[in-house]
Amino acid sequence: MSDTVASRSPAGHAAVLPRLLPLVAIVFLGFSAIGLPLAVLPLHVHGTLGWGAAMVGAVVGLQSLATVLTRRHAGVLCDTRGPKRAVLGGLAASALAGVCYALSLAITDPALGLAAILLGRLVLGFGESLFLTGALSWAITVVGPHNAGKVMAWNGIAMYGAMAAGAPVGLALLQAGGFGAVAVAATLAPLAGLLVAALVPAVPVPGGVRMPFTAVIGRVMRPGFGLALGSVGFAVLASFAPLLFAARGWPGAWAALTAFGGAYILARLVAGGLPDRLGGRRVAVLSLTVEAAGQLLIWSASSPALAVAGAAVTGLGFSLVFPALGVEAVKRVPPQSRGAALGAYVAFFDLSLALSAPAAGLLVAEGSYAPVFLAGAVAAGLSLLLTATGRDAPAPQA
């Protein structure tokens, strides 16, 4: 299907969401393989296998490292073999990760059991890189690059929805059937996504000369750095909001994270199409301003209610940063290099999440967690400055 087919006409525009839904479902099922075991893995590694906190951290972080290192391969595969091939391979790898988790139960040696878990995390990171980059590229080709903001908004809802639902479901499965039940669910979810992907028609691979990956990075570097800085607020909120509440003796730390997630999803549902209509740079400037205000509200909060309100405002602002700057990134490359551009762009987000929390942790002194939220506001301000002083990207390329 050509990029010019969908949504050039009013009828095509109205049909954008129904055409996106199968691909959004694929992302939800793929990310369920990440969300289901996320809260359970630390318990298994520490409680069952007997490893310490440092190894628990390594197990959790290894997936992100593998994802970052394979984004380039995922993008090139989308551009050369088609996004469907990348999605199918990524979902298969994600299912294999669940098999590795199950193997850790069948091995009596704790070291070998840990090795099976680590292998699963590596495979899952590779799988996520493939299926997410492929799903984004596939969807943008189906509905047209001028609907890239909607694509990223709805895929973000699928990602965070799977993560939010996966944690409690994973814990419930652990109580009902042990870690083996979690491993089975983490295997079946991406296999279900694989079935959905197999039924969705493939799109042709664009012809023409593809840009070198280094040149692609140069094209998307400005929106990529903007995304990295704009994601710091999310990283510090997820990592330090519960600690802030605990240090101050405030109840209801869960409310801050729930408020963030609810506002995040609401903004995408209500305003997810704004980057396509108003331009990514304009929406990003507004979103980063709101995010910075939310971080400042948490930093200065004198009560849990104010901190929860700051988390909600942060969620409203951060929600559209990824799709807004993503629209700018996609516009900067020809269609035959779109997969590489998406892979490079998302890698900035991966790196931000991997580095922000450890770096912000250096600002914590004697149980005072407020400075990390000031750092989040400063990072959003720097992203705002970088974005506002840039130029609008050219019109979407078909």
Side-chain angles (χ1 to χ4, degrees):
M1 180 180 296
S2 169
D3 287 349
T4 60
V5 171
S7 33
R8 290 295 187 191
S9 65
H13 180 78
V16 166
L17 182 56
R19 299 172 72 190
L20 278 181
L21 285 179
L23 296 167
V24 171
I26 289 168
V27 171
F28 179 86
L29 291 167
F31 265 87
S32 294
I34 300 170
L36 284 166
L38 190 59
V40 175
L41 271 173
L43 302 176
H44 179 63
V45 172
H46 179 66
T48 304
L49 300 180
W51 294 93
M55 189 55 70
V56 169
V59 166
V60 173
L62 188 59
Q63 180 209 324
S64 296
L65 177 62
T67 301
V68 171
L69 295 177
T70 55
R71 286 291 185 198
R72 177 184 182 277
H73 172 76
V76 172
L77 181 62
C78 289
D79 292 332
T80 57
R81 305 296 296 275
K84 182 170 184 174
R85 179 71 63 89
V87 169
L88 293 175
L91 291 169
S94 299
L96 182 59
V99 175
C100 292
Y101 297 158
L103 283 177
S104 73
L105 289 172
I107 300 172
T108 56
D109 186 335
L112 293 178
L114 177 66
I117 293 291
L118 291 173
L119 177 61
R121 300 298 288 171
L122 282 171
V123 171
L124 184 61
F126 177 59
E128 182 210 330
S129 184
L130 285 177
F131 77 70
L132 179 59
T133 305
L136 289 171
S137 179
W138 197 350
I140 289 173
T141 304
V142 167
V143 302
H146 46 288
N147 287 310
K150 296 184 185 69
V151 169
M152 296 185 191
W154 278 98
N155 277 281
I157 291 173
M159 290 164 53
Y160 287 99
M163 299 288 281
V169 172
L171 289 170
L173 288 172
L174 180 68
Q175 294 177 351
F179 186 70
V182 178
V184 170
T187 303
L188 293 178
L191 288 179
L194 194 67
L195 177 61
V196 175
L199 297 175
V200 179
V203 292
V205 179
V209 178
R210 294 174 179 84
M211 298 173 61
F213 191 71
T214 52
V216 171
I217 293 177
R219 292 280 185 94
V220 305
M221 186 169 291
R222 194 178 191 96
F225 272 124
L227 174 65
L229 289 166
S231 300
V232 172
F234 165 63
V236 299
L237 177 66
S239 302
F240 294 104
L243 298 176
L244 174 71
F245 273 67
R248 296 188 175 181
W250 292 343
W254 60 269
L257 299 177
T258 300
F260 172 87
Y264 177 97
I265 292 176
L266 178 64
R268 289 211 168 182
L269 289 174
V270 173
L274 285 182
D276 297 322
R277 297 200 300 270
L278 302 180
R281 192 166 69 91
R282 290 182 182 178
V283 175
V285 166
L286 176 61
S287 298
L288 289 163
T289 302
V290 174
E291 181 187 347
Q295 291 286 284
L296 289 173
L297 186 54
I298 301 173
W299 168 65
S300 61
S302 57
S303 69
L306 287 175
V308 170
V313 174
T314 299
L316 284 174
F318 176 67
S319 180
L320 295 183
V321 171
F322 184 95
L325 292 174
V327 165
E328 296 298 297
V330 168
K331 289 178 181 178
R332 284 170 160 78
V333 297
Q336 59 266 31
S337 296
R338 188 176 294 146
L342 287 166
Y345 175 70
V346 178
F348 281 96
F349 178 70
D350 297 329
L351 285 171
S352 180
L353 295 190
L355 299 177
S356 294
L362 299 176
L363 301 175
V364 176
E366 298 181 359
S368 177
Y369 294 98
V372 302
F373 299 101
L374 179 59
V378 170
L382 291 173
S383 178
L384 171 61
L385 180 63
L386 182 67
T387 303
T389 55
R391 296 180 178 179
D392 289 327
Q397 302 183 56

